[in-house]
Amino acid sequence: MPPKVKEILQFCNSPDFIENIETLTGENSLIPDPYLYGGGIFSTRDSGFLKMHADFNWHKKIKLYRRINVLIYLNSNWDPNWGADLKLAVKNKNSLDVKVSIDPLFNRTVVFTSTDHSYHGHPTPLNGPQNTQRNALVLYYYVSTKPLDSADIKKTLNWIA
Protein backbone atom coordinates (compact mmCIF):
# COMPACT_ATOMS: atom_id res chain seq x y z
CA MET A 1 0.00 0.00 0.00
CA PRO A 2 1.13 3.56 -0.58
CA PRO A 3 2.85 5.15 2.47
CA LYS A 4 0.08 7.75 2.97
CA VAL A 5 -2.56 5.02 3.04
CA LYS A 6 -0.52 3.14 5.64
CA GLU A 7 -0.43 6.32 7.74
CA ILE A 8 -4.20 6.69 7.52
CA LEU A 9 -4.67 3.02 8.48
CA GLN A 10 -2.39 3.43 11.49
CA PHE A 11 -4.37 6.48 12.57
CA CYS A 12 -7.70 4.67 12.10
CA ASN A 13 -6.42 1.83 14.30
CA SER A 14 -5.17 4.19 17.02
CA PRO A 15 -6.82 4.30 20.45
CA ASP A 16 -7.89 7.95 19.91
CA PHE A 17 -9.69 7.20 16.64
CA ILE A 18 -11.33 4.06 18.02
CA GLU A 19 -12.50 5.96 21.12
CA ASN A 20 -14.09 8.55 18.83
CA ILE A 21 -15.87 5.82 16.86
CA GLU A 22 -17.07 4.29 20.15
CA THR A 23 -18.39 7.67 21.31
CA LEU A 24 -20.10 8.29 17.96
CA THR A 25 -21.74 4.87 17.75
CA GLY A 26 -22.30 3.98 21.41
CA GLU A 27 -20.40 0.72 20.87
CA ASN A 28 -17.77 -0.32 23.42
CA SER A 29 -14.53 -2.28 23.22
CA LEU A 30 -14.15 -2.06 19.45
CA ILE A 31 -11.25 -4.00 17.99
CA PRO A 32 -9.67 -3.07 14.63
CA ASP A 33 -8.85 -5.75 12.07
CA PRO A 34 -5.06 -6.01 11.74
CA TYR A 35 -5.47 -8.15 8.59
CA LEU A 36 -7.91 -5.85 6.73
CA TYR A 37 -9.92 -8.97 5.89
CA GLY A 38 -12.46 -7.75 3.34
CA GLY A 39 -11.26 -4.17 3.92
CA GLY A 40 -8.59 -1.93 2.44
CA ILE A 41 -8.83 0.16 -0.70
CA PHE A 42 -11.98 -0.40 -2.74
CA SER A 43 -11.88 0.91 -6.29
CA THR A 44 -14.63 0.94 -8.92
CA ARG A 45 -14.00 1.86 -12.54
CA ASP A 46 -15.75 2.20 -15.90
CA SER A 47 -19.46 1.42 -15.34
CA GLY A 48 -18.67 -0.61 -12.21
CA PHE A 49 -21.18 -1.04 -9.41
CA LEU A 50 -21.68 -2.95 -6.17
CA LYS A 51 -24.96 -4.80 -5.66
CA MET A 52 -26.92 -4.15 -2.48
CA HIS A 53 -25.81 -6.62 0.18
CA ALA A 54 -25.25 -7.24 3.87
CA ASP A 55 -21.67 -8.08 4.87
CA PHE A 56 -20.27 -11.10 6.63
CA ASN A 57 -20.29 -10.57 10.39
CA TRP A 58 -17.89 -13.26 11.66
CA HIS A 59 -14.12 -12.98 11.19
CA LYS A 60 -12.87 -16.58 11.18
CA LYS A 61 -9.21 -15.77 11.72
CA ILE A 62 -9.53 -13.49 14.76
CA LYS A 63 -12.84 -15.03 15.92
CA LEU A 64 -14.67 -11.75 16.41
CA TYR A 65 -18.00 -10.25 15.31
CA ARG A 66 -17.96 -7.34 12.88
CA ARG A 67 -19.85 -4.43 14.31
CA ILE A 68 -18.85 -1.16 12.64
CA ASN A 69 -18.00 -0.28 9.03
CA VAL A 70 -16.04 2.88 8.26
CA LEU A 71 -15.72 4.15 4.68
CA ILE A 72 -13.44 7.08 3.87
CA TYR A 73 -13.86 8.37 0.34
CA LEU A 74 -10.71 9.32 -1.60
CA ASN A 75 -12.28 10.93 -4.68
CA SER A 76 -10.89 14.38 -5.50
CA ASN A 77 -13.09 16.53 -7.74
CA TRP A 78 -15.99 14.06 -7.61
CA ASP A 79 -19.06 15.02 -9.63
CA PRO A 80 -22.30 13.63 -8.10
CA ASN A 81 -23.67 13.31 -11.66
CA TRP A 82 -21.32 10.35 -12.13
CA GLY A 83 -23.56 8.16 -9.94
CA ALA A 84 -22.06 5.34 -7.84
CA ASP A 85 -23.48 6.87 -4.66
CA LEU A 86 -23.59 4.68 -1.55
CA LYS A 87 -27.08 3.55 -0.64
CA LEU A 88 -28.17 2.36 2.82
CA ALA A 89 -31.37 0.34 2.92
CA VAL A 90 -33.67 -1.76 5.07
CA LYS A 91 -35.45 -4.89 3.92
CA ASN A 92 -39.25 -4.76 3.68
CA LYS A 93 -40.72 -8.18 2.93
CA ASN A 94 -39.06 -9.10 -0.38
CA SER A 95 -37.58 -5.73 -1.37
CA LEU A 96 -35.06 -3.19 -0.14
CA ASP A 97 -36.17 0.29 0.87
CA VAL A 98 -33.30 2.74 0.32
CA LYS A 99 -33.27 5.22 3.19
CA VAL A 100 -30.31 7.37 2.16
CA SER A 101 -27.93 7.95 -0.74
CA ILE A 102 -24.46 9.34 -0.10
CA ASP A 103 -22.20 10.83 -2.75
CA PRO A 104 -18.60 9.55 -2.45
CA LEU A 105 -17.07 13.02 -2.04
CA PHE A 106 -13.42 13.44 -1.07
CA ASN A 107 -12.74 12.88 2.64
CA ARG A 108 -16.39 12.10 3.40
CA THR A 109 -16.48 9.42 6.05
CA VAL A 110 -19.45 7.10 6.55
CA VAL A 111 -19.87 5.01 9.70
CA PHE A 112 -22.57 2.38 10.07
CA THR A 113 -23.46 -0.72 12.06
CA SER A 114 -22.76 -4.05 10.41
CA THR A 115 -25.40 -6.71 10.97
CA ASP A 116 -27.23 -9.30 8.92
CA HIS A 117 -29.72 -6.53 8.04
CA SER A 118 -27.48 -3.55 7.19
CA TYR A 119 -27.89 -3.51 3.43
CA HIS A 120 -25.67 -1.22 1.43
CA GLY A 121 -23.98 -0.88 -1.94
CA HIS A 122 -23.64 1.40 -4.94
CA PRO A 123 -25.95 -0.28 -7.45
CA THR A 124 -26.01 2.75 -9.76
CA PRO A 125 -23.06 2.21 -12.12
CA LEU A 126 -20.20 4.68 -12.22
CA ASN A 127 -20.82 6.92 -15.22
CA GLY A 128 -17.84 9.29 -15.22
CA PRO A 129 -15.26 10.20 -17.83
CA GLN A 130 -13.08 7.37 -19.09
CA ASN A 131 -10.68 6.04 -16.42
CA THR A 132 -12.62 7.68 -13.57
CA GLN A 133 -12.27 5.72 -10.35
CA ARG A 134 -14.47 5.67 -7.26
CA ASN A 135 -12.09 4.97 -4.37
CA ALA A 136 -12.71 4.36 -0.69
CA LEU A 137 -10.65 3.19 2.24
CA VAL A 138 -12.79 0.61 4.05
CA LEU A 139 -12.19 -0.44 7.65
CA TYR A 140 -14.04 -2.79 9.93
CA TYR A 141 -14.19 -2.87 13.71
CA TYR A 142 -15.15 -5.91 15.73
CA VAL A 143 -16.47 -6.91 19.14
CA SER A 144 -15.87 -10.10 21.07
CA THR A 145 -19.49 -10.72 22.10
CA LYS A 146 -22.15 -11.53 19.54
CA PRO A 147 -24.46 -8.49 19.18
CA LEU A 148 -28.11 -9.23 19.92
CA ASP A 149 -29.74 -6.28 18.15
CA SER A 150 -30.31 -5.81 14.46
CA ALA A 151 -29.46 -2.86 12.25
CA ASP A 152 -31.02 0.38 13.39
CA ILE A 153 -31.26 2.55 10.28
CA LYS A 154 -32.36 5.59 12.33
CA LYS A 155 -29.21 5.31 14.45
CA THR A 156 -27.07 4.94 11.31
CA LEU A 157 -28.70 7.97 9.70
CA ASN A 158 -27.98 10.04 12.83
CA TRP A 159 -24.28 9.12 12.58
CA ILE A 160 -23.90 10.29 9.00
CA ALA A 161 -26.07 13.40 9.24
Side-chain angles (χ1 to χ4, degrees), residues 2 13 22 31-32 34 43 52 65 67-68 97 115 126 131 144:
N13 290 330
E22 289 175 341
I31 302 164
S43 188
M52 296 296 287
Y65 299 92
R67 189 61 176 159
I68 300 294
D97 181 15
T115 71
L126 173 59
N131 296 321
S144 60

Side-chain angles (χ1 to χ4, degrees), residues 112-130:
F112 64 95
T113 305
S114 184
T115 71
D116 294 337
H117 310 289
S118 52
Y119 291 93
H120 60 285
H122 59 93
T124 305
L126 173 59
N127 188 24
Q130 188 173 7

Side-chain angles (χ1 to χ4, degrees), residues 24-135:
L24 176 68
T25 63
E27 296 293 334
N28 295 309
S29 304
L30 291 174
I31 302 164
D33 178 5
Y35 302 102
L36 288 177
Y37 181 69
I41 298 174
F42 283 29
S43 188
T44 303
R45 301 177 52 135
D46 304 325
S47 301
F49 62 94
L50 180 63
K51 290 181 182 181
M52 296 296 287
H53 67 283
D55 291 330
F56 71 89
N57 289 322
W58 174 250
H59 192 307
K60 294 176 187 177
K61 188 167 188 167
I62 59 176
K63 302 200 182 330
L64 296 171
Y65 299 92
R66 188 186 326 180
R67 189 61 176 159
I68 300 294
N69 291 3
V70 174
L71 291 73
I72 304 169
Y73 289 107
L74 308 172
N75 307 304
S76 298
N77 303 314
W78 186 263
D79 183 340
N81 293 319
W82 296 343
D85 49 320
L86 174 69
K87 297 187 185 311
L88 300 176
V90 294
K91 193 168 190 175
N92 290 327
K93 295 184 183 177
N94 294 328
S95 65
L96 293 177
D97 181 15
V98 173
K99 294 296 184 182
V100 66
S101 294
I102 303 164
D103 291 322
L105 303 176
F106 180 73
N107 208 29
R108 177 169 280 170
T109 300
V110 178
V111 178
F112 64 95
T113 305
S114 184
T115 71
D116 294 337
H117 310 289
S118 52
Y119 291 93
H120 60 285
H122 59 93
T124 305
L126 173 59
N127 188 24
Q130 188 173 7
N131 296 321
T132 298
Q133 290 183 244
R134 177 194 186 273
N135 298 310

